[in-house]
Amino acid sequence: MPLRVLRQSRWGEEVIQLAIRLGLLAGLIVWCFVLVRPFIPILAWGMVLTVALYPLFGWLSDHFGDRPKLAASFITVVAVAIVIGPAAWLGLGLVDGLRTIFERLGSDTLGLPSPPASLKDWPLIGGPLYDFWHQASTNLEAAFAQLAPHLKPLVGPVLAAAGSAGLGTLKFLASVILAGFLFPAGPKLVQAGRNVMARLLPERGEHFVALAGATIRTVSQGVIGIALLQSFLFGIGLKFAGISSAGLLAFAVLILGILQIGSAIVLIPCLIWIWTTKDFSTSMFLTVYLVLVGLADNVLKPLLMGRGLTTPMIVIFIGLLGGTLAHGIVGLFVGPIVLAVAWELTMAWIRDERTSGVPTVPSCAAAEVTGSAPDAMSQLPSNSE
């Protein structure tokens, strides 16, 4: 009996000690999360940039005489210049456009402008288009006059969100600088990720790391990268055309590009306005330029994404909306990538469970075209030394 009581006492002490250790560990984990939480978007975007630009880093490192630090510095300087220049211009244009809209909304003067009289002279469609535009402008003025009192309370929060574009620019700069430090350590970081996944999923860990890297590159280059390029070039054309809300419209093109919808929704009304207000030569030049910009994704996406992205648009949309609400302007780009990676890994795991075999990389990874980031990193082990 005493021996049994002693064993129970020791067992109870061990349970108490285990509970204390687990409690301390949980508290430490929560505390670390609280400390790191403000920097999660910066860390995530920095890692995305590292994976997306690592092939370029490897190419530059080789051409600079196997000097990875010089290659990382060069990419960082160029990326910082892009963030400070075009990205800042788009952000400021978005803020100015929203401020103008809400100022008009606050004074009950917001509405669709009346169509120009020259629109009636267009053959075939001129008359009907003029009547439709005139009717829409009249209805919009009445609709906004009714909705203005209800929308006025939203002016402050929306302008505050738009004003955070400056903070978002600083986060982008911090992410670019962080990526510059991560480039030389790429192979070691990938190996660490493989080791972690090997402990969690011994049979599929390495494949999932490759799939995650390939998906990051596919979405960041083939979706977000092309959308950013299109929106910037589109904004330049609209600015040259003299459209006051060029930055806001360029931002709309960016959102449509990320959602894989296309820029036609914004392009067609802009072309109509250009042809009704500009001379023939200017209108023709801007039309050719904007149409080529709008169709550029049809050429670039097959090169960067292989056979296309299998992630549903609703997943991209939820990632875009949720990322923006959670992390601001940086979350606009990080959210779709994180959800796309989670979706592809989940689908690969489900397929693997069904077939009870080794899963294959889905087409969205486009490994045969773009190559997975981990594989690209593993080809340059000397860069980390």
Side-chain angles (χ1 to χ4, degrees), residues 11 15-16 24 33 53 56 71 73 86 128-129 166 169-170 188 196 234-235 253 260 291 300 330 333 353 356 385:
W11 182 81
V15 171
I16 294 174
L24 292 175
F33 176 75
L53 299 177
L56 176 61
S73 301
L129 184 59
T169 303
L170 294 179
K188 292 183 179 179
V196 172
F234 198 86
V253 171
Q260 305 291 290
V291 170
L300 297 176
V330 178
F333 307 105
E353 290 294 327
S356 298
E385 299 176 358

mmCIF file of all heavy atoms in Angstrom, residues 11 15-16 24 33 53 56 71 73 86 128-129 166 169-170 188 196 234-235 253 260 291 300 330 333 353 356 385:
data_model
loop_
_atom_site.group_PDB
_atom_site.id
_atom_site.type_symbol
_atom_site.label_atom_id
_atom_site.label_comp_id
_atom_site.label_asym_id
_atom_site.label_seq_id
_atom_site.Cartn_x
_atom_site.Cartn_y
_atom_site.Cartn_z
ATOM 1 N N TRP A 11 3.488 10.198 -9.651
ATOM 2 C CA TRP A 11 2.766 10.405 -10.921
ATOM 3 C C TRP A 11 2.060 11.756 -10.899
ATOM 4 O O TRP A 11 2.044 12.488 -11.877
ATOM 5 C CB TRP A 11 1.771 9.275 -11.121
ATOM 6 C CG TRP A 11 1.009 9.390 -12.425
ATOM 7 C CD1 TRP A 11 1.433 9.025 -13.652
ATOM 8 C CD2 TRP A 11 -0.313 9.928 -12.582
ATOM 9 N NE1 TRP A 11 0.466 9.298 -14.591
ATOM 10 C CE2 TRP A 11 -0.624 9.846 -13.955
ATOM 11 C CE3 TRP A 11 -1.250 10.438 -11.689
ATOM 12 C CZ2 TRP A 11 -1.840 10.265 -14.455
ATOM 13 C CZ3 TRP A 11 -2.467 10.865 -12.185
ATOM 14 C CH2 TRP A 11 -2.753 10.790 -13.564
ATOM 15 N N VAL A 15 2.660 14.952 -13.420
ATOM 16 C CA VAL A 15 1.577 15.606 -14.169
ATOM 17 C C VAL A 15 1.587 17.103 -13.910
ATOM 18 O O VAL A 15 1.436 17.916 -14.827
ATOM 19 C CB VAL A 15 0.220 14.989 -13.784
ATOM 20 C CG1 VAL A 15 -0.917 15.816 -14.391
ATOM 21 C CG2 VAL A 15 0.132 13.555 -14.273
ATOM 22 N N ILE A 16 1.787 17.489 -12.655
ATOM 23 C CA ILE A 16 1.823 18.910 -12.317
ATOM 24 C C ILE A 16 3.002 19.606 -12.999
ATOM 25 O O ILE A 16 2.870 20.700 -13.561
ATOM 26 C CB ILE A 16 1.896 19.090 -10.788
ATOM 27 C CG1 ILE A 16 0.594 18.587 -10.140
ATOM 28 C CG2 ILE A 16 2.141 20.545 -10.427
ATOM 29 C CD1 ILE A 16 0.641 18.605 -8.626
ATOM 30 N N LEU A 24 3.985 27.238 -19.346
ATOM 31 C CA LEU A 24 5.049 28.196 -19.612
ATOM 32 C C LEU A 24 5.373 28.268 -21.105
ATOM 33 O O LEU A 24 5.599 29.355 -21.654
ATOM 34 C CB LEU A 24 6.302 27.822 -18.817
ATOM 35 C CG LEU A 24 6.202 27.972 -17.287
ATOM 36 C CD1 LEU A 24 7.469 27.443 -16.630
ATOM 37 C CD2 LEU A 24 5.965 29.423 -16.910
ATOM 38 N N PHE A 33 4.231 35.655 -30.189
ATOM 39 C CA PHE A 33 3.296 36.028 -31.259
ATOM 40 C C PHE A 33 2.862 37.480 -31.113
ATOM 41 O O PHE A 33 2.761 38.213 -32.111
ATOM 42 C CB PHE A 33 2.076 35.111 -31.231
ATOM 43 C CG PHE A 33 1.014 35.491 -32.234
ATOM 44 C CD1 PHE A 33 1.181 35.218 -33.579
ATOM 45 C CD2 PHE A 33 -0.142 36.134 -31.824
ATOM 46 C CE1 PHE A 33 0.208 35.578 -34.501
ATOM 47 C CE2 PHE A 33 -1.119 36.499 -32.725
ATOM 48 C CZ PHE A 33 -0.943 36.215 -34.076
ATOM 49 N N LEU A 53 12.044 36.536 -56.524
ATOM 50 C CA LEU A 53 13.181 37.141 -57.222
ATOM 51 C C LEU A 53 14.466 36.331 -57.103
ATOM 52 O O LEU A 53 15.504 36.775 -57.597
ATOM 53 C CB LEU A 53 13.431 38.558 -56.678
ATOM 54 C CG LEU A 53 12.284 39.558 -56.834
ATOM 55 C CD1 LEU A 53 12.651 40.889 -56.196
ATOM 56 C CD2 LEU A 53 11.942 39.759 -58.306
ATOM 57 N N LEU A 56 16.442 35.607 -60.347
ATOM 58 C CA LEU A 56 17.172 36.789 -60.787
ATOM 59 C C LEU A 56 18.405 37.009 -59.929
ATOM 60 O O LEU A 56 19.479 37.366 -60.449
ATOM 61 C CB LEU A 56 16.260 38.013 -60.709
ATOM 62 C CG LEU A 56 16.890 39.367 -61.044
ATOM 63 C CD1 LEU A 56 17.410 39.386 -62.475
ATOM 64 C CD2 LEU A 56 15.896 40.502 -60.811
ATOM 65 N N ALA A 71 24.995 41.166 -55.624
ATOM 66 C CA ALA A 71 23.742 40.930 -56.343
ATOM 67 C C ALA A 71 22.537 41.300 -55.481
ATOM 68 O O ALA A 71 21.585 41.928 -55.960
ATOM 69 C CB ALA A 71 23.662 39.469 -56.777
ATOM 70 N N SER A 73 22.469 43.470 -53.030
ATOM 71 C CA SER A 73 22.440 44.925 -52.891
ATOM 72 C C SER A 73 21.865 45.585 -54.144
ATOM 73 O O SER A 73 21.078 46.538 -54.050
ATOM 74 C CB SER A 73 23.853 45.450 -52.619
ATOM 75 O OG SER A 73 24.388 44.882 -51.436
ATOM 76 N N PRO A 86 7.217 54.509 -58.753
ATOM 77 C CA PRO A 86 5.891 54.137 -59.269
ATOM 78 C C PRO A 86 4.887 53.743 -58.187
ATOM 79 O O PRO A 86 3.732 54.160 -58.230
ATOM 80 C CB PRO A 86 6.209 52.945 -60.190
ATOM 81 C CG PRO A 86 7.631 53.117 -60.555
ATOM 82 C CD PRO A 86 8.299 53.740 -59.375
ATOM 83 N N PRO A 128 -27.797 56.836 -79.680
ATOM 84 C CA PRO A 128 -28.194 56.006 -78.533
ATOM 85 C C PRO A 128 -27.227 56.102 -77.356
ATOM 86 O O PRO A 128 -27.652 56.100 -76.194
ATOM 87 C CB PRO A 128 -28.216 54.582 -79.120
ATOM 88 C CG PRO A 128 -28.410 54.781 -80.582
ATOM 89 C CD PRO A 128 -27.703 56.053 -80.920
ATOM 90 N N LEU A 129 -25.927 56.196 -77.661
ATOM 91 C CA LEU A 129 -24.955 56.283 -76.575
ATOM 92 C C LEU A 129 -25.094 57.600 -75.824
ATOM 93 O O LEU A 129 -24.992 57.637 -74.598
ATOM 94 C CB LEU A 129 -23.537 56.146 -77.139
ATOM 95 C CG LEU A 129 -22.391 56.118 -76.115
ATOM 96 C CD1 LEU A 129 -22.564 54.965 -75.132
ATOM 97 C CD2 LEU A 129 -21.038 56.016 -76.809
ATOM 98 N N GLY A 166 0.741 55.777 -46.823
ATOM 99 C CA GLY A 166 2.105 56.154 -46.464
ATOM 100 C C GLY A 166 2.764 55.124 -45.578
ATOM 101 O O GLY A 166 3.931 54.759 -45.783
ATOM 102 N N THR A 169 3.666 52.151 -47.648
ATOM 103 C CA THR A 169 4.911 52.347 -48.398
ATOM 104 C C THR A 169 6.127 52.051 -47.537
ATOM 105 O O THR A 169 7.099 51.422 -47.989
ATOM 106 C CB THR A 169 4.977 53.784 -48.929
ATOM 107 O OG1 THR A 169 3.827 54.041 -49.744
ATOM 108 C CG2 THR A 169 6.227 53.993 -49.750
ATOM 109 N N LEU A 170 6.087 52.479 -46.279
ATOM 110 C CA LEU A 170 7.189 52.181 -45.362
ATOM 111 C C LEU A 170 7.314 50.677 -45.128
ATOM 112 O O LEU A 170 8.432 50.139 -45.038
ATOM 113 C CB LEU A 170 6.970 52.909 -44.036
ATOM 114 C CG LEU A 170 7.028 54.443 -44.091
ATOM 115 C CD1 LEU A 170 6.757 55.025 -42.715
ATOM 116 C CD2 LEU A 170 8.388 54.912 -44.605
ATOM 117 N N LYS A 188 20.083 27.979 -46.993
ATOM 118 C CA LYS A 188 19.971 27.548 -45.598
ATOM 119 C C LYS A 188 18.531 27.636 -45.109
ATOM 120 O O LYS A 188 18.060 26.755 -44.378
ATOM 121 C CB LYS A 188 20.880 28.398 -44.712
ATOM 122 C CG LYS A 188 22.369 28.169 -44.952
ATOM 123 C CD LYS A 188 23.204 28.984 -43.986
ATOM 124 C CE LYS A 188 24.696 28.732 -44.205
ATOM 125 N NZ LYS A 188 25.537 29.538 -43.279
ATOM 126 N N VAL A 196 11.932 21.109 -41.091
ATOM 127 C CA VAL A 196 10.703 21.234 -40.300
ATOM 128 C C VAL A 196 9.587 20.401 -40.905
ATOM 129 O O VAL A 196 8.871 19.667 -40.194
ATOM 130 C CB VAL A 196 10.288 22.720 -40.207
ATOM 131 C CG1 VAL A 196 8.914 22.851 -39.558
ATOM 132 C CG2 VAL A 196 11.315 23.513 -39.416
ATOM 133 N N PHE A 234 -0.979 51.596 -67.193
ATOM 134 C CA PHE A 234 -2.307 52.136 -67.434
ATOM 135 C C PHE A 234 -2.429 53.537 -66.831
ATOM 136 O O PHE A 234 -2.987 54.453 -67.441
ATOM 137 C CB PHE A 234 -3.354 51.202 -66.821
ATOM 138 C CG PHE A 234 -4.745 51.403 -67.344
ATOM 139 C CD1 PHE A 234 -5.172 50.760 -68.489
ATOM 140 C CD2 PHE A 234 -5.632 52.233 -66.686
ATOM 141 C CE1 PHE A 234 -6.459 50.946 -68.977
ATOM 142 C CE2 PHE A 234 -6.915 52.429 -67.160
ATOM 143 C CZ PHE A 234 -7.330 51.784 -68.310
ATOM 144 N N GLY A 235 -1.896 53.706 -65.624
ATOM 145 C CA GLY A 235 -1.945 55.010 -64.980
ATOM 146 C C GLY A 235 -1.164 56.062 -65.745
ATOM 147 O O GLY A 235 -1.582 57.229 -65.826
ATOM 148 N N VAL A 253 -7.586 49.014 -61.824
ATOM 149 C CA VAL A 253 -7.008 48.038 -62.753
ATOM 150 C C VAL A 253 -6.155 47.021 -61.997
ATOM 151 O O VAL A 253 -6.141 45.829 -62.319
ATOM 152 C CB VAL A 253 -6.179 48.759 -63.830
ATOM 153 C CG1 VAL A 253 -5.395 47.770 -64.685
ATOM 154 C CG2 VAL A 253 -7.086 49.602 -64.712
ATOM 155 N N GLN A 260 -8.063 38.464 -61.680
ATOM 156 C CA GLN A 260 -8.090 37.783 -62.977
ATOM 157 C C GLN A 260 -9.327 38.134 -63.792
ATOM 158 O O GLN A 260 -9.826 37.326 -64.575
ATOM 159 C CB GLN A 260 -8.031 36.257 -62.768
ATOM 160 C CG GLN A 260 -6.857 35.766 -61.952
ATOM 161 C CD GLN A 260 -5.534 35.925 -62.685
ATOM 162 O OE1 GLN A 260 -5.256 35.243 -63.657
ATOM 163 N NE2 GLN A 260 -4.739 36.841 -62.215
ATOM 164 N N VAL A 291 -4.792 49.707 -75.173
ATOM 165 C CA VAL A 291 -5.212 48.361 -75.589
ATOM 166 C C VAL A 291 -4.041 47.385 -75.475
ATOM 167 O O VAL A 291 -4.209 46.244 -75.018
ATOM 168 C CB VAL A 291 -5.786 48.392 -77.012
ATOM 169 C CG1 VAL A 291 -5.984 46.964 -77.533
ATOM 170 C CG2 VAL A 291 -7.121 49.131 -77.027
ATOM 171 N N LEU A 300 2.123 37.737 -71.202
ATOM 172 C CA LEU A 300 3.026 37.517 -70.080
ATOM 173 C C LEU A 300 2.601 36.337 -69.205
ATOM 174 O O LEU A 300 3.460 35.602 -68.711
ATOM 175 C CB LEU A 300 3.120 38.784 -69.230
ATOM 176 C CG LEU A 300 3.713 40.008 -69.922
ATOM 177 C CD1 LEU A 300 3.668 41.210 -68.999
ATOM 178 C CD2 LEU A 300 5.143 39.725 -70.369
ATOM 179 N N VAL A 330 -0.340 46.291 -47.546
ATOM 180 C CA VAL A 330 0.560 45.150 -47.749
ATOM 181 C C VAL A 330 -0.238 43.855 -47.825
ATOM 182 O O VAL A 330 0.076 42.952 -48.609
ATOM 183 C CB VAL A 330 1.600 45.090 -46.614
ATOM 184 C CG1 VAL A 330 2.513 43.887 -46.784
ATOM 185 C CG2 VAL A 330 2.427 46.366 -46.586
ATOM 186 N N PHE A 333 -1.503 42.307 -51.165
ATOM 187 C CA PHE A 333 -0.658 41.426 -51.970
ATOM 188 C C PHE A 333 -0.313 40.130 -51.231
ATOM 189 O O PHE A 333 -0.188 39.073 -51.853
ATOM 190 C CB PHE A 333 0.629 42.164 -52.349
ATOM 191 C CG PHE A 333 0.386 43.496 -52.998
ATOM 192 C CD1 PHE A 333 0.591 44.676 -52.306
ATOM 193 C CD2 PHE A 333 -0.063 43.578 -54.298
ATOM 194 C CE1 PHE A 333 0.370 45.901 -52.890
ATOM 195 C CE2 PHE A 333 -0.296 44.806 -54.897
ATOM 196 C CZ PHE A 333 -0.086 45.971 -54.188
ATOM 197 N N GLU A 353 -4.091 11.712 -50.349
ATOM 198 C CA GLU A 353 -4.851 10.789 -49.513
ATOM 199 C C GLU A 353 -5.722 9.875 -50.359
ATOM 200 O O GLU A 353 -5.929 8.710 -50.028
ATOM 201 C CB GLU A 353 -5.716 11.584 -48.529
ATOM 202 C CG GLU A 353 -4.916 12.285 -47.437
ATOM 203 C CD GLU A 353 -4.247 11.298 -46.499
ATOM 204 O OE1 GLU A 353 -4.828 10.231 -46.271
ATOM 205 O OE2 GLU A 353 -3.139 11.583 -46.028
ATOM 206 N N SER A 356 -3.173 7.568 -52.358
ATOM 207 C CA SER A 356 -2.212 6.849 -51.511
ATOM 208 C C SER A 356 -0.859 6.714 -52.181
ATOM 209 O O SER A 356 -0.162 5.707 -52.054
ATOM 210 C CB SER A 356 -2.746 5.452 -51.146
ATOM 211 O OG SER A 356 -3.935 5.563 -50.409
ATOM 212 N N GLU A 385 27.482 30.925 -48.395
ATOM 213 C CA GLU A 385 28.757 30.830 -47.679
ATOM 214 C C GLU A 385 29.473 32.181 -47.693
ATOM 215 O O GLU A 385 29.422 32.901 -48.663
ATOM 216 C CB GLU A 385 29.641 29.773 -48.324
ATOM 217 C CG GLU A 385 28.984 28.369 -48.275
ATOM 218 C CD GLU A 385 29.814 27.331 -48.991
ATOM 219 O OE1 GLU A 385 30.879 27.713 -49.545
ATOM 220 O OE2 GLU A 385 29.447 26.167 -48.984
#
